[in-house]
Amino acid sequence: MYAIAPTFDIDHSPEWGSDRLDLDAYLRRIGYEGVRDNSLKTLQQVHQAHMSTIPFENVDIAVGRTVSLDIAELERKLVRSGRGGYCYETNLLFAAALDRLGFPVMRMLSRIREGDTRRRFRSHTSLLVRTADEPDTVWLADPGYGYAGLIEPIPLRDGAHATVGAWSWELGVDVDDGHWVLRSQDGEGRWSDLYAFRPERQYEVDYRAAHYVSSTRPGSPFVNRLVAQRGSETVRHRLRNDVLVTDHPDGRTERAVLAPDEVVAALREKFGLTLTDEDVSLLLGFLQRGESAAAC
C-alpha cells in the first residue's frame, strides 16, 4: 500500500510556468477576495470558487481546434476569455495558482472509473496538496473533474468522508491493487467510483502525452463529441452533444434533447461560457453535422 502521507514540497520547477500566471486576474475570474495564504481555509475557498466559476468543457476539441496546456494559453482562455476547459486545462491552471499562493502541490494522473471495473489508462489529472496549518494532512483537490467532482478537497485518508451541500464523497484504498479510489454518492444514496490513483508525481512531459491522446485519439470521449459539465451544492448539469441531463439531490433526473441553438444557449446559461461569434459558428456546424449523421 502507498504511504498515507506522501512527502512533497512546493514545486518550483519552471516547466509549469506558474511564475507567469497573473494571480490577480485569476482570483478576479473566480471571484475570490479572501486572504492570500496557504492555509486550509484558503485552499477550500479557492477550490470551491474555481469549480463554481470555471466549468468542465471541451468545445475547442469538439470543433477541431488544437488545445494547448501552456500557462499563457490557459490564462488567455480560462481567465481572460470567460471559457472553461477539460481536466488538464482547468486543474493545471488551479495548480499554478496554488503554486503562487505557496501551497506544496503534487500533480498526478488518475484512472477514470465512472462505475466501470475495467482498468483504463491514466487520463485524468488530480492534485495532492498540503497546507501550512495542517502540515501532517494531505488533501486530494480536484475542481476540474466535472459534474460529480469534489466541491472542496478531501483528506487523503482511508475512509475519509466529505459532504458539501447535497452531495457526499468518500476516499478509500482498493485492497486488490493499492489504488486510492474516490467515490461519489448520487441523489438516491448509491455510491459509485469516480476514479483511482496512486500518489505519484507526474511531470510536464507526462501531461503532454496524456493530453495528446485524450484530445486527438479517435475513440476518446472528448474527440468528435461535445461535453460540458458543471456541479454545485444544489444541482448537477451534464451536456453531451445535444443531450442535457440535470441531476437533483432528491434523485430526480431530467433529460432534454436540444436543438443546435438551444445547445449554444445552454452553454451560455447553464455552464456560464462566454462564446464568440466564431465559437458559435463552429459549434452550430459541428452539431448540424451530428444531426445529419444521425439521420443517415
Side-chain angles (χ1 to χ4, degrees):
M1 184 182 298
Y2 279 73
I4 294 296
T7 58
F8 54 95
D9 300 312
I10 296 174
D11 190 348
H12 295 292
S13 172
E15 69 178 354
W16 302 112
S18 300
D19 61 325
R20 293 187 281 125
L21 175 68
D22 185 337
L23 183 62
D24 291 339
Y26 167 80
L27 294 177
R28 285 195 301 271
R29 166 74 166 104
I30 66 172
Y32 178 77
E33 299 179 346
V35 176
R36 299 187 185 187
D37 62 14
N38 55 356
S39 67
L40 175 58
K41 182 178 180 180
T42 297
L43 174 63
Q44 292 170 329
Q45 292 180 341
V46 174
H47 190 291
Q48 185 162 1
H50 182 114
M51 183 178 178
S52 65
T53 307
I54 302 179
F56 184 108
E57 54 103 339
N58 78 327
V59 169
D60 287 343
I61 297 172
V63 301
R65 289 176 175 148
T66 298
V67 172
S68 172
L69 298 184
D70 180 77
I71 193 65
E73 178 59 20
L74 296 180
E75 181 179 308
R76 181 202 65 78
K77 178 180 174 181
L78 281 68
V79 174
R80 302 188 184 279
S81 299
R83 289 282 305 281
Y86 83 147
C87 67
Y88 300 106
E89 298 172 275
T90 186
N91 274 349
L92 288 181
L93 175 69
F94 180 66
L98 295 185
D99 284 342
R100 292 292 307 278
L101 289 167
F103 289 95
V105 181
M106 179 187 288
R107 296 160 173 85
M108 305 184 297
L109 287 170
S110 306
R111 303 181 191 275
I112 294 295
R113 289 193 173 182
E114 288 282 4
D116 195 334
T117 58
R118 293 176 300 163
R119 180 174 288 112
R120 306 180 185 182
F121 75 93
R122 293 186 292 183
S123 62
H124 175 62
T125 181
S126 53
L127 311 169
L128 294 182
V129 187
R130 288 184 182 275
T131 66
D133 49 343
E134 295 197 22
D136 295 329
T137 301
V138 174
W139 300 84
L140 174 66
D142 185 0
Y145 181 82
Y147 75 104
L150 291 168
I151 294 177
E152 290 184 356
I154 187 171
L156 187 71
R157 186 167 55 243
D158 193 11
H161 187 91
T163 297
V164 178
W167 316 105
S168 294
W169 298 264
E170 64 180 19
L171 191 61
V173 178
D174 188 326
V175 296
D176 293 328
D177 62 11
H179 279 74
W180 289 89
V181 180
L182 179 67
R183 308 178 74 211
S184 175
Q185 188 178 43
D186 65 18
E188 297 182 352
R190 296 171 300 194
W191 290 93
S192 62
D193 296 352
L194 296 181
Y195 58 84
F197 63 91
R198 287 178 172 171
E200 176 184 357
R201 184 185 298 277
Q202 305 294 311
Y203 301 93
E204 190 270 343
V205 66
D206 301 310
Y207 280 93
R208 200 185 320 143
H211 165 59
Y212 178 78
V213 172
S214 295
S215 63
T216 65
R217 177 180 62 87
S220 165
F222 306 115
V223 175
N224 295 323
R225 57 177 58 87
L226 174 66
V227 180
Q229 301 179 13
R230 193 172 197 176
S232 71
E233 296 184 15
T234 57
V235 69
R236 291 170 170 174
H237 297 297
R238 293 173 283 158
L239 177 71
R240 178 169 174 174
N241 292 333
D242 61 350
V243 178
L244 177 65
V245 177
T246 302
D247 296 324
H248 298 276
D250 60 5
R252 289 182 299 115
T253 296
E254 300 169 357
R255 182 180 184 276
V257 179
L258 309 180
D261 60 329
E262 293 175 322
V263 171
V264 172
L267 288 171
R268 285 172 164 158
E269 297 165 11
K270 300 287 188 185
F271 299 94
L273 298 189
T274 299
L275 299 172
T276 65
D277 290 344
E278 179 184 342
D279 295 332
V280 172
S281 177
L282 291 172
L283 274 168
L284 292 176
F286 166 80
L287 293 164
Q288 288 160 1
R289 287 193 299 274
E291 285 186 335
S292 298
C296 293

